[in-house]
Amino acid sequence: MKNIIFIGGIHGVGKGTLCRKVCNDLNLRHLSASEVLKWEEISEKENKLVKDFTLTQNRLITNLQQIVTENERYVLDGHYCLLNKDNVPEKIDFDTFRALNPFAFIIVVDDVQEIKKRLENRDNREYDFDLLLKFQELELEYSIELAEQLNKPHLTLKSEETNNFKTFLYDENFTRH
């Protein structure tokens, strides 16, 4: 699926907003991993904990294979890590990313205090700062590791950096086909 850019980041970092802005401007199709997975069919909407990583990631790849066509370019927003059933950040299996085989890896990061505020406003509940910090650090580290292991381009962004995102896509020749 070399016509997919994978963009990850923790919940509330702003990756969906960033993707919508850039995809609209560049005529790319934005996919959310939650929508592709049909998350509401396998978990409660408010629940961010993943009970069975293998099931969810196999479902993601299978559903993507049914959605993605060769003549379109996609930006898939999702996660490099997820909160397991014990509420601990855990890396998604390397084989998922090997099967996905994206064109490039992007990670969106932000000030964890700001992310915490966004999540609490959005979800109307309390979030643990240290957990969010650990989650974001693991996502960043793993995104770099995946890009190196799969020999793919990598970019770290803040959610408001639409121009840097567009420049990266252009410079990496993702938008010119």
PDB file of all heavy atoms in Angstrom, residues 113-132:
ATOM      1  N   GLN A 113       0.562  19.067  28.219  1.00  0.00           N
ATOM      2  CA  GLN A 113      -0.431  19.791  29.020  1.00  0.00           C
ATOM      3  C   GLN A 113      -1.580  20.272  28.128  1.00  0.00           C
ATOM      4  O   GLN A 113      -2.745  20.208  28.512  1.00  0.00           O
ATOM      5  CB  GLN A 113       0.221  20.976  29.739  1.00  0.00           C
ATOM      6  CG  GLN A 113      -0.603  21.537  30.867  1.00  0.00           C
ATOM      7  CD  GLN A 113      -0.883  20.520  31.958  1.00  0.00           C
ATOM      8  OE1 GLN A 113      -0.022  19.787  32.416  1.00  0.00           O
ATOM      9  NE2 GLN A 113      -2.133  20.460  32.386  1.00  0.00           N
ATOM     10  N   GLU A 114      -1.249  20.719  26.908  1.00  0.00           N
ATOM     11  CA  GLU A 114      -2.280  21.150  25.951  1.00  0.00           C
ATOM     12  C   GLU A 114      -3.129  19.965  25.490  1.00  0.00           C
ATOM     13  O   GLU A 114      -4.342  20.091  25.353  1.00  0.00           O
ATOM     14  CB  GLU A 114      -1.636  21.848  24.747  1.00  0.00           C
ATOM     15  CG  GLU A 114      -1.069  23.208  25.057  1.00  0.00           C
ATOM     16  CD  GLU A 114      -2.109  24.179  25.592  1.00  0.00           C
ATOM     17  OE1 GLU A 114      -3.224  24.263  25.008  1.00  0.00           O
ATOM     18  OE2 GLU A 114      -1.826  24.833  26.613  1.00  0.00           O
ATOM     19  N   ILE A 115      -2.483  18.853  25.233  1.00  0.00           N
ATOM     20  CA  ILE A 115      -3.219  17.647  24.828  1.00  0.00           C
ATOM     21  C   ILE A 115      -4.177  17.234  25.934  1.00  0.00           C
ATOM     22  O   ILE A 115      -5.342  16.912  25.681  1.00  0.00           O
ATOM     23  CB  ILE A 115      -2.247  16.496  24.486  1.00  0.00           C
ATOM     24  CG1 ILE A 115      -1.391  16.852  23.279  1.00  0.00           C
ATOM     25  CG2 ILE A 115      -3.015  15.190  24.262  1.00  0.00           C
ATOM     26  CD1 ILE A 115      -0.219  15.914  23.038  1.00  0.00           C
ATOM     27  N   LYS A 116      -3.690  17.255  27.152  1.00  0.00           N
ATOM     28  CA  LYS A 116      -4.505  16.883  28.318  1.00  0.00           C
ATOM     29  C   LYS A 116      -5.755  17.769  28.397  1.00  0.00           C
ATOM     30  O   LYS A 116      -6.868  17.273  28.571  1.00  0.00           O
ATOM     31  CB  LYS A 116      -3.665  16.996  29.589  1.00  0.00           C
ATOM     32  CG  LYS A 116      -4.362  16.581  30.876  1.00  0.00           C
ATOM     33  CD  LYS A 116      -3.386  16.722  32.041  1.00  0.00           C
ATOM     34  CE  LYS A 116      -3.899  16.242  33.364  1.00  0.00           C
ATOM     35  NZ  LYS A 116      -5.168  16.758  33.823  1.00  0.00           N
ATOM     36  N   LYS A 117      -5.568  19.083  28.223  1.00  0.00           N
ATOM     37  CA  LYS A 117      -6.705  20.016  28.257  1.00  0.00           C
ATOM     38  C   LYS A 117      -7.699  19.701  27.144  1.00  0.00           C
ATOM     39  O   LYS A 117      -8.911  19.686  27.373  1.00  0.00           O
ATOM     40  CB  LYS A 117      -6.217  21.463  28.088  1.00  0.00           C
ATOM     41  CG  LYS A 117      -5.656  22.092  29.326  1.00  0.00           C
ATOM     42  CD  LYS A 117      -5.362  23.563  29.041  1.00  0.00           C
ATOM     43  CE  LYS A 117      -4.067  23.966  29.694  1.00  0.00           C
ATOM     44  NZ  LYS A 117      -3.637  25.316  29.326  1.00  0.00           N
ATOM     45  N   ARG A 118      -7.193  19.463  25.927  1.00  0.00           N
ATOM     46  CA  ARG A 118      -8.068  19.139  24.798  1.00  0.00           C
ATOM     47  C   ARG A 118      -8.895  17.889  25.075  1.00  0.00           C
ATOM     48  O   ARG A 118     -10.095  17.856  24.815  1.00  0.00           O
ATOM     49  CB  ARG A 118      -7.232  18.900  23.529  1.00  0.00           C
ATOM     50  CG  ARG A 118      -7.047  20.108  22.687  1.00  0.00           C
ATOM     51  CD  ARG A 118      -6.322  19.736  21.390  1.00  0.00           C
ATOM     52  NE  ARG A 118      -5.172  20.611  21.315  1.00  0.00           N
ATOM     53  CZ  ARG A 118      -3.931  20.243  21.050  1.00  0.00           C
ATOM     54  NH1 ARG A 118      -3.632  18.996  20.783  1.00  0.00           N
ATOM     55  NH2 ARG A 118      -2.961  21.118  21.014  1.00  0.00           N
ATOM     56  N   LEU A 119      -8.214  16.855  25.555  1.00  0.00           N
ATOM     57  CA  LEU A 119      -8.912  15.593  25.833  1.00  0.00           C
ATOM     58  C   LEU A 119      -9.962  15.767  26.924  1.00  0.00           C
ATOM     59  O   LEU A 119     -11.073  15.242  26.814  1.00  0.00           O
ATOM     60  CB  LEU A 119      -7.905  14.510  26.246  1.00  0.00           C
ATOM     61  CG  LEU A 119      -7.062  13.916  25.135  1.00  0.00           C
ATOM     62  CD1 LEU A 119      -5.955  13.045  25.715  1.00  0.00           C
ATOM     63  CD2 LEU A 119      -7.928  13.114  24.172  1.00  0.00           C
ATOM     64  N   GLU A 120      -9.611  16.479  27.974  1.00  0.00           N
ATOM     65  CA  GLU A 120     -10.553  16.659  29.079  1.00  0.00           C
ATOM     66  C   GLU A 120     -11.761  17.482  28.642  1.00  0.00           C
ATOM     67  O   GLU A 120     -12.896  17.174  29.039  1.00  0.00           O
ATOM     68  CB  GLU A 120      -9.834  17.291  30.280  1.00  0.00           C
ATOM     69  CG  GLU A 120      -8.887  16.298  30.922  1.00  0.00           C
ATOM     70  CD  GLU A 120      -8.015  16.850  32.044  1.00  0.00           C
ATOM     71  OE1 GLU A 120      -7.972  18.081  32.251  1.00  0.00           O
ATOM     72  OE2 GLU A 120      -7.364  16.030  32.715  1.00  0.00           O
ATOM     73  N   ASN A 121     -11.537  18.493  27.798  1.00  0.00           N
ATOM     74  CA  ASN A 121     -12.663  19.272  27.260  1.00  0.00           C
ATOM     75  C   ASN A 121     -13.520  18.424  26.328  1.00  0.00           C
ATOM     76  O   ASN A 121     -14.748  18.478  26.375  1.00  0.00           O
ATOM     77  CB  ASN A 121     -12.167  20.510  26.508  1.00  0.00           C
ATOM     78  CG  ASN A 121     -11.654  21.583  27.443  1.00  0.00           C
ATOM     79  OD1 ASN A 121     -12.045  21.652  28.600  1.00  0.00           O
ATOM     80  ND2 ASN A 121     -10.770  22.419  26.945  1.00  0.00           N
ATOM     81  N   ARG A 122     -12.870  17.644  25.484  1.00  0.00           N
ATOM     82  CA  ARG A 122     -13.585  16.823  24.503  1.00  0.00           C
ATOM     83  C   ARG A 122     -14.369  15.693  25.166  1.00  0.00           C
ATOM     84  O   ARG A 122     -15.520  15.436  24.847  1.00  0.00           O
ATOM     85  CB  ARG A 122     -12.593  16.237  23.499  1.00  0.00           C
ATOM     86  CG  ARG A 122     -13.246  15.393  22.417  1.00  0.00           C
ATOM     87  CD  ARG A 122     -12.259  14.705  21.539  1.00  0.00           C
ATOM     88  NE  ARG A 122     -11.715  13.533  22.235  1.00  0.00           N
ATOM     89  CZ  ARG A 122     -10.722  12.783  21.790  1.00  0.00           C
ATOM     90  NH1 ARG A 122     -10.133  13.087  20.657  1.00  0.00           N
ATOM     91  NH2 ARG A 122     -10.296  11.748  22.473  1.00  0.00           N
ATOM     92  N   ASP A 123     -13.714  14.990  26.105  1.00  0.00           N
ATOM     93  CA  ASP A 123     -14.291  13.776  26.681  1.00  0.00           C
ATOM     94  C   ASP A 123     -14.971  13.985  28.023  1.00  0.00           C
ATOM     95  O   ASP A 123     -15.547  13.055  28.576  1.00  0.00           O
ATOM     96  CB  ASP A 123     -13.197  12.703  26.826  1.00  0.00           C
ATOM     97  CG  ASP A 123     -12.584  12.313  25.491  1.00  0.00           C
ATOM     98  OD1 ASP A 123     -13.190  12.598  24.431  1.00  0.00           O
ATOM     99  OD2 ASP A 123     -11.486  11.727  25.500  1.00  0.00           O
ATOM    100  N   ASN A 124     -14.837  15.202  28.570  1.00  0.00           N
ATOM    101  CA  ASN A 124     -15.456  15.528  29.850  1.00  0.00           C
ATOM    102  C   ASN A 124     -15.059  14.550  30.957  1.00  0.00           C
ATOM    103  O   ASN A 124     -15.894  14.043  31.699  1.00  0.00           O
ATOM    104  CB  ASN A 124     -16.981  15.607  29.708  1.00  0.00           C
ATOM    105  CG  ASN A 124     -17.604  16.382  30.841  1.00  0.00           C
ATOM    106  OD1 ASN A 124     -16.986  17.273  31.413  1.00  0.00           O
ATOM    107  ND2 ASN A 124     -18.848  16.039  31.162  1.00  0.00           N
ATOM    108  N   ARG A 125     -13.742  14.245  30.995  1.00  0.00           N
ATOM    109  CA  ARG A 125     -13.209  13.398  32.064  1.00  0.00           C
ATOM    110  C   ARG A 125     -11.735  13.734  32.278  1.00  0.00           C
ATOM    111  O   ARG A 125     -11.113  14.379  31.450  1.00  0.00           O
ATOM    112  CB  ARG A 125     -13.408  11.915  31.763  1.00  0.00           C
ATOM    113  CG  ARG A 125     -12.567  11.351  30.639  1.00  0.00           C
ATOM    114  CD  ARG A 125     -12.840   9.847  30.477  1.00  0.00           C
ATOM    115  NE  ARG A 125     -11.930   9.205  29.593  1.00  0.00           N
ATOM    116  CZ  ARG A 125     -10.789   8.609  29.942  1.00  0.00           C
ATOM    117  NH1 ARG A 125     -10.414   8.575  31.201  1.00  0.00           N
ATOM    118  NH2 ARG A 125     -10.011   8.019  29.049  1.00  0.00           N
ATOM    119  N   GLU A 126     -11.190  13.269  33.366  1.00  0.00           N
ATOM    120  CA  GLU A 126      -9.797  13.543  33.755  1.00  0.00           C
ATOM    121  C   GLU A 126      -8.827  12.605  33.031  1.00  0.00           C
ATOM    122  O   GLU A 126      -9.143  11.438  32.812  1.00  0.00           O
ATOM    123  CB  GLU A 126      -9.673  13.327  35.275  1.00  0.00           C
ATOM    124  CG  GLU A 126      -8.401  13.795  35.882  1.00  0.00           C
ATOM    125  CD  GLU A 126      -8.450  15.240  36.338  1.00  0.00           C
ATOM    126  OE1 GLU A 126      -9.540  15.838  36.359  1.00  0.00           O
ATOM    127  OE2 GLU A 126      -7.377  15.756  36.660  1.00  0.00           O
ATOM    128  N   TYR A 127      -7.659  13.123  32.658  1.00  0.00           N
ATOM    129  CA  TYR A 127      -6.590  12.323  32.052  1.00  0.00           C
ATOM    130  C   TYR A 127      -5.321  12.484  32.873  1.00  0.00           C
ATOM    131  O   TYR A 127      -5.065  13.556  33.426  1.00  0.00           O
ATOM    132  CB  TYR A 127      -6.332  12.742  30.599  1.00  0.00           C
ATOM    133  CG  TYR A 127      -7.323  12.174  29.632  1.00  0.00           C
ATOM    134  CD1 TYR A 127      -8.539  12.815  29.401  1.00  0.00           C
ATOM    135  CD2 TYR A 127      -7.074  10.989  28.960  1.00  0.00           C
ATOM    136  CE1 TYR A 127      -9.466  12.291  28.511  1.00  0.00           C
ATOM    137  CE2 TYR A 127      -7.992  10.457  28.074  1.00  0.00           C
ATOM    138  CZ  TYR A 127      -9.180  11.113  27.857  1.00  0.00           C
ATOM    139  OH  TYR A 127     -10.095  10.575  26.988  1.00  0.00           O
ATOM    140  N   ASP A 128      -4.530  11.435  32.937  1.00  0.00           N
ATOM    141  CA  ASP A 128      -3.288  11.419  33.687  1.00  0.00           C
ATOM    142  C   ASP A 128      -2.141  11.984  32.842  1.00  0.00           C
ATOM    143  O   ASP A 128      -1.825  11.434  31.786  1.00  0.00           O
ATOM    144  CB  ASP A 128      -2.980   9.977  34.125  1.00  0.00           C
ATOM    145  CG  ASP A 128      -1.703   9.882  34.922  1.00  0.00           C
ATOM    146  OD1 ASP A 128      -1.763  10.098  36.145  1.00  0.00           O
ATOM    147  OD2 ASP A 128      -0.652   9.594  34.314  1.00  0.00           O
ATOM    148  N   PHE A 129      -1.538  13.082  33.303  1.00  0.00           N
ATOM    149  CA  PHE A 129      -0.463  13.745  32.576  1.00  0.00           C
ATOM    150  C   PHE A 129       0.703  12.799  32.305  1.00  0.00           C
ATOM    151  O   PHE A 129       1.213  12.733  31.179  1.00  0.00           O
ATOM    152  CB  PHE A 129       0.036  14.976  33.359  1.00  0.00           C
ATOM    153  CG  PHE A 129       1.187  15.669  32.693  1.00  0.00           C
ATOM    154  CD1 PHE A 129       0.975  16.624  31.717  1.00  0.00           C
ATOM    155  CD2 PHE A 129       2.498  15.348  33.041  1.00  0.00           C
ATOM    156  CE1 PHE A 129       2.039  17.256  31.087  1.00  0.00           C
ATOM    157  CE2 PHE A 129       3.573  15.975  32.413  1.00  0.00           C
ATOM    158  CZ  PHE A 129       3.342  16.927  31.435  1.00  0.00           C
ATOM    159  N   ASP A 130       1.149  12.072  33.325  1.00  0.00           N
ATOM    160  CA  ASP A 130       2.307  11.183  33.164  1.00  0.00           C
ATOM    161  C   ASP A 130       2.041  10.070  32.155  1.00  0.00           C
ATOM    162  O   ASP A 130       2.928   9.697  31.388  1.00  0.00           O
ATOM    163  CB  ASP A 130       2.727  10.583  34.516  1.00  0.00           C
ATOM    164  CG  ASP A 130       3.297  11.640  35.455  1.00  0.00           C
ATOM    165  OD1 ASP A 130       3.855  12.648  34.954  1.00  0.00           O
ATOM    166  OD2 ASP A 130       3.187  11.461  36.682  1.00  0.00           O
ATOM    167  N   LEU A 131       0.817   9.548  32.142  1.00  0.00           N
ATOM    168  CA  LEU A 131       0.460   8.520  31.165  1.00  0.00           C
ATOM    169  C   LEU A 131       0.509   9.098  29.750  1.00  0.00           C
ATOM    170  O   LEU A 131       1.055   8.475  28.840  1.00  0.00           O
ATOM    171  CB  LEU A 131      -0.932   7.955  31.459  1.00  0.00           C
ATOM    172  CG  LEU A 131      -1.459   6.936  30.444  1.00  0.00           C
ATOM    173  CD1 LEU A 131      -0.590   5.679  30.427  1.00  0.00           C
ATOM    174  CD2 LEU A 131      -2.911   6.589  30.753  1.00  0.00           C
ATOM    175  N   LEU A 132      -0.043  10.287  29.562  1.00  0.00           N
ATOM    176  CA  LEU A 132      -0.023  10.921  28.241  1.00  0.00           C
ATOM    177  C   LEU A 132       1.405  11.221  27.796  1.00  0.00           C
ATOM    178  O   LEU A 132       1.746  11.032  26.628  1.00  0.00           O
ATOM    179  CB  LEU A 132      -0.855  12.208  28.253  1.00  0.00           C
ATOM    180  CG  LEU A 132      -2.354  12.039  28.450  1.00  0.00           C
ATOM    181  CD1 LEU A 132      -3.026  13.402  28.590  1.00  0.00           C
ATOM    182  CD2 LEU A 132      -2.982  11.236  27.328  1.00  0.00           C
TER     183      LEU A 132
END
